[in-house]
Amino acid sequence: MHRVAALVRPPQSTFEVACAAQVFGIERPGLPTRYAFGVCTEHPGPITTRAGYDMLVTDGLDALDRADTVVVPGWVPTDEPSPAVVQALRRAHSRGARVVSICSGAFALAHAGLLDGRTATTHWALADELAARFPRVQVDPDVLYVDHGDVATSAGAGAGIDLCMHLVRGDQGAQYAAHIARTMVMPPHREGGQLQYSAPPHPAQIDGTLAPLLEWVTERLSEPVTIESIAAHAGVSARTLTRRFIDQLGTSPGQWLLSQRIATAQDLLESSDLPLDAVARRVGLSSATNLRRRFLNTLGTTPGAYRRAFRAKPASSSRPPAKSG
């Protein structure tokens, strides 16, 4: 069982805690329970929240010594944590726990020195402050999350769900994550970066929904679909198609199409015994060689390693071995 501990402080934003709890702490019918979720704080007892009520937290910082993943779901105000909290975070990280932040929680990780020399993100409204206060951290204000394996940061609260789902995919596989996403009525993977949600310098004009077009494409992944053929089906130029994708999804048509092919390949690797060449053809990647290259570039592992990690997976938690197989 993979143990997840959320470190909270007063006044705590309840939504950020709920993001982690909803992904890691809910028992779902028909899905093996592979996470044990708990909440801890420096001084156990009633913790005030920004929602106007108190929540009772009974576990102290020693819970971080037992956790496989530590989540810091927000850190407002963004002041320096106490020495005890800093030491607990460093101790958890040094013994191999994965340390994760949601939204302003990146400030706690930065104060602990866990982001030094790394790329990190936080809510777009706090990105400049994080960069100014911690010059050794390379702040990316656009991405939804950054995952270094041992340390991960996310943008706003909604992006915290994206990061948690990404971690589940790495731990348990795409099918397990997709089941959780369905129960939450959300996509297993959200495209694009967070700048599409920040206050724009001028109103964005989005002319028409992409949903019917996306459905048309996903039904034809095994075919040689190109940006030009998608644009032709939509009755627009390739340039207009690209603008609509960036406006509505925050990513290019090519990147979106590749992500759909990779996601479908993951599902086939988990749910079938098809040879890699057959998987590649079914998702429109033409050959096992191309599938391996795309898989390695996108996921940091090979199709063979991914299949060994997640095909008929036992209940214990594991992560796919990187760049092997």
Side-chain angles (χ1 to χ4, degrees):
M1 188 72 69
H2 188 109
R3 295 159 297 184
V4 180
L7 173 63
V8 301
R9 60 166 291 185
Q12 179 64 45
S13 172
T14 56
F15 185 46
E16 279 86 342
V17 180
C19 291
Q22 184 68 26
V23 174
F24 297 115
I26 303 296
E27 292 187 8
R28 294 171 168 88
L31 194 68
T33 300
R34 293 175 178 163
Y35 294 96
F37 179 80
V39 180
C40 65
T41 188
E42 182 177 7
H43 304 291
I47 299 295
T48 59
T49 72
R50 299 171 71 85
Y53 61 84
D54 291 353
M55 61 180 183
L56 181 62
V57 180
T58 58
D59 284 340
L61 293 178
D62 59 329
L64 302 189
D65 295 327
R66 302 186 297 271
D68 301 296
T69 293
V70 174
V71 181
V72 183
W75 198 261
V76 177
T78 58
D79 54 359
E80 185 173 2
S82 71
V85 169
V86 168
Q87 289 304 315
L89 289 173
R90 290 175 177 171
R91 190 168 58 248
H93 177 258
S94 65
R95 67 171 177 78
R98 180 171 58 192
V99 183
V100 177
S101 69
I102 297 177
C103 195
S104 58
F107 283 83
L109 272 56
H111 281 297
L114 301 183
L115 301 183
D116 287 354
R118 299 176 183 258
T119 303
T121 194
T122 188
H123 192 285
W124 57 265
L126 297 171
D128 287 345
E129 179 187 352
L130 183 65
R133 293 174 63 183
F134 301 97
R136 297 186 64 186
V137 180
Q138 182 179 344
V139 179
D140 188 338
D142 181 24
V143 296
L144 295 175
Y145 55 82
V146 177
D147 179 18
H148 292 285
D150 59 327
V151 174
T153 55
S154 72
I161 298 178
D162 292 305
L163 174 56
C164 290
M165 292 300 301
H166 162 77
L167 297 176
V168 169
R169 280 195 304 275
D171 291 341
Q172 312 296 344
Q175 284 190 327
Y176 191 95
H179 188 117
I180 293 178
R182 283 194 297 271
T183 65
M184 295 173 63
V185 196
M186 63 170 287
H189 177 66
R190 189 157 54 115
E191 300 295 334
Q194 66 165 318
L195 290 188
Q196 61 186 306
Y197 305 103
S198 64
H202 54 78
Q205 300 298 321
I206 301 177
D207 47 354
T209 176
L210 285 174
L213 182 62
L214 301 184
E215 183 177 357
W216 180 84
V217 175
T218 54
E219 291 173 351
R220 292 165 173 78
L221 289 181
S222 62
E223 302 175 12
V225 178
T226 64
I227 307 306
E228 290 72 21
S229 64
I230 298 173
H233 179 78
V236 299
S237 67
R239 177 175 295 182
T240 297
L241 179 74
T242 298
R243 188 186 72 246
R244 290 184 181 178
F245 264 74
I246 292 175
D247 285 346
Q248 297 186 40
L249 300 179
T251 190
S252 69
Q255 283 299 114
W256 179 85
L257 180 59
L258 177 60
S259 71
Q260 301 309 301
R261 297 193 193 281
I262 293 295
T264 304
Q266 288 178 276
D267 184 70
L268 289 172
L269 290 169
E270 293 178 39
S271 61
S272 76
D273 294 314
L274 288 171
L276 294 188
D277 271 317
V279 172
R281 289 193 299 271
R282 285 202 182 188
V283 301
L285 290 177
S286 72
S287 68
T289 299
N290 191 30
L291 175 64
R292 289 189 187 95
R293 180 171 63 86
R294 297 291 190 174
F295 228 75
L296 187 61
N297 290 341
T298 303
L299 301 178
T301 189
T302 64
Y306 186 89
R307 172 171 269 169
R308 288 192 295 272
F310 297 121
R311 176 74 172 136
K313 191 177 187 307
S316 61
S317 171
S318 67
R319 307 187 72 184
K323 301 183 179 180
S324 63

